[in-house]
Amino acid sequence: MRLPRKLALALLCVTVGCIQADYSDNESAIELIDGLVADLDFDREALESVLADAQHMPKIIELMEKPAESISWHQYREIFIHPERIEAGVEFIEEYEEDLKRAQETYQVPPHIISAIIGVETYYGRYLGDHRVIDALATLGFDYPRRADFFREELRHFLILACEERIKPFDQEDSCHRMSDGVASGNERSIEDLKGSYAGAMGYGQFIPSSYRNFAIDFDGDGMRDIWTNKVDAIGSVASYFAEHNWIPDGDILELVTIDSEAEGLIELANQPLAVPTTTVAEWRELGIRSESPETHTASLFAYSLNDEGTPVSEEYILAFDNFYVITRYNRSRLYARVVYELATDIQESMK
């Protein structure tokens, strides 16, 4: 027997620690609703119903304040680089060999990179996220001032995505204006059932709503962009994302380098904000970097702390090339980009 909606939500809050917020009365939510109604012909009552059901999740704000990327490189690497995950990556490539080959032919992104992204993001589907996306985005969009503008925009994209994919309650013809053609009918999903990360990322590749709308593709040709349950669509979507962000086929990602002992000022040049690399290897060599890469390649310099608690601090340095920067477009963290590279390399080596 299906519980009444209000009772079901009350039980949900008891279980996961949420607060029934009724964001439909929130001033920023009303502004969002007004915009969607005026610009895209959304049904106001459907929008109000969705936001009335959205729950405030204090735990999500706690998680946002303590992201995994705030830990040391050694600790971060241990989470993702281990024999079991490497073997799972090999098995993923073997199982989806033809789809990965087709993705490489279409988008020029190799299988071990696609596999590593899905492996880092969700451990090949083992951890898809257990937060309702609507709760995560509403909590962060309306109750997290530091990044509220960003997450309100992602909430807007999420609601439009629900319209595009005919997800309930936007599955009826008069519930919203159709932004895309050729979407398969018969989508049984409901917006209240869609789950993802605490930041609202979804599916095997953990796309935030704007990325889902812009880069997810129907790679198996069934008329639906489904990265929640369809690994083939996830493979094509990750490859599409990388291609759209200027992945260089057969391009270098990083090189572990050493610094001349007499070099000065390089520490200050390391770990600058992420940006498209502009300094050539030849220029880095002049500054005291020992590199074997072609001198015309451009790269950024990053330092990684290797110390464990109770041991002296030490660092190692990498030159990060254009494809490293592309990986950071997926997750804006130099820790993330390096661990994707290392997992991809280990997977590739294990397949030889």
Side-chain angles (χ1 to χ4, degrees), residues 160-176:
I160 296 173
L161 174 67
C163 169
E164 291 173 336
E165 300 299 319
R166 298 189 181 181
I167 295 170
K168 298 175 182 177
F170 305 113
D171 55 329
Q172 303 300 315
E173 290 299 330
D174 60 351
S175 60
C176 59

Side-chain angles (χ1 to χ4, degrees), residues 12-13 16-19 23 55-62 131-132 135-136 139:
L12 173 68
C13 285
V16 302
C18 67
I19 299 172
Y23 283 111
Q55 306 303 303
H56 173 74
M57 306 291 289
K59 182 64 175 179
I60 285 174
I61 295 178
E62 292 178 21
H131 300 279
R132 292 201 316 169
D135 295 339
T139 296

Side-chain angles (χ1 to χ4, degrees), residues 76-348:
Y76 191 83
R77 186 184 188 280
E78 281 191 337
I79 296 172
F80 300 102
I81 308 295
H82 51 78
E84 294 78 12
R85 197 178 301 246
I86 295 167
E87 181 58 31
V90 171
E91 293 173 356
F92 183 83
I93 290 178
E94 291 173 345
E95 182 177 359
Y96 293 94
E97 179 180 2
E98 292 303 315
D99 301 300
L100 287 160
K101 180 179 179 181
R102 182 161 58 92
Q104 183 172 19
E105 291 171 349
T106 305
Y107 297 105
Q108 309 303 307
V109 183
H112 62 283
I113 295 295
I114 299 172
S115 177
I117 288 289
I118 295 174
V120 170
E121 290 292 344
T122 61
Y123 204 159
Y124 305 100
R126 297 186 191 185
Y127 307 118
L128 291 170
D130 57 4
H131 300 279
R132 292 201 316 169
V133 177
I134 188 63
D135 295 339
L137 295 176
T139 296
L140 296 172
F142 303 130
D143 291 321
Y144 189 56
R146 188 161 66 87
R147 298 190 65 192
D149 290 346
F150 172 82
F151 284 106
R152 276 200 300 273
E153 182 63 14
E154 288 303 317
L155 176 57
R156 179 178 180 275
H157 278 291
F158 180 61
L159 295 167
I160 296 173
L161 174 67
C163 169
E164 291 173 336
E165 300 299 319
R166 298 189 181 181
I167 295 170
K168 298 175 182 177
F170 305 113
D171 55 329
Q172 303 300 315
E173 290 299 330
D174 60 351
S175 60
C176 59
H177 174 68
R178 297 281 169 239
M179 271 65 71
S180 61
D181 297 323
V183 178
S185 60
N187 194 334
E188 295 300 320
R189 290 189 180 88
S190 171
I191 201 169
E192 66 186 31
D193 298 326
L194 299 179
K195 293 185 177 181
S197 76
Y198 63 83
M202 301 170 284
Y204 286 98
Q206 292 290 278
F207 280 23
I208 58 175
S210 59
S211 294
Y212 201 129
R213 293 190 62 222
N214 290 322
F215 307 113
I217 62 171
D218 171 19
F219 201 49
D220 68 353
D222 68 352
M224 297 177 66
R225 300 175 297 174
D226 176 12
I227 63 172
W228 281 288
T229 63
N230 189 326
K231 292 182 182 179
V232 176
D233 281 0
I235 287 168
S237 297
V238 170
S240 166
Y241 188 99
F242 272 64
E244 290 290 335
H245 286 81
N246 302 314
W247 178 263
I248 300 173
D250 300 318
D252 292 333
I253 298 176
L254 66 83
E255 178 191 13
L256 191 64
V257 296
T258 57
I259 296 177
D260 290 338
S261 58
E262 65 273 15
E264 297 181 359
L266 284 173
I267 302 299
E268 288 73 21
L269 292 176
N271 296 337
Q272 295 297 308
L274 293 166
V276 176
T278 57
T279 305
T280 66
V281 170
E283 291 170 329
W284 284 121
R285 286 176 182 163
E286 291 178 0
L287 292 171
I289 293 289
R290 299 174 186 175
S291 169
E292 301 299 322
S293 296
E295 63 179 16
T296 58
H297 287 192
T298 55
S300 300
L301 179 66
F302 294 129
Y304 292 83
S305 176
L306 301 178
N307 67 298
D308 294 321
E309 187 175 352
T311 63
V313 173
S314 61
E315 292 181 325
E316 63 182 10
Y317 295 85
I318 67 164
L319 286 182
F321 302 102
D322 293 87
N323 279 347
F324 185 97
Y325 177 74
V326 173
I327 297 174
T328 67
R329 300 307 85 197
Y330 207 98
N331 181 314
R332 298 173 188 269
S333 162
R334 59 182 61 92
L335 295 178
Y336 177 88
R338 184 172 178 184
V339 86
V340 166
Y341 165 80
E342 293 201 6
L343 180 59
T345 300
D346 288 344
I347 290 170
Q348 190 176 35

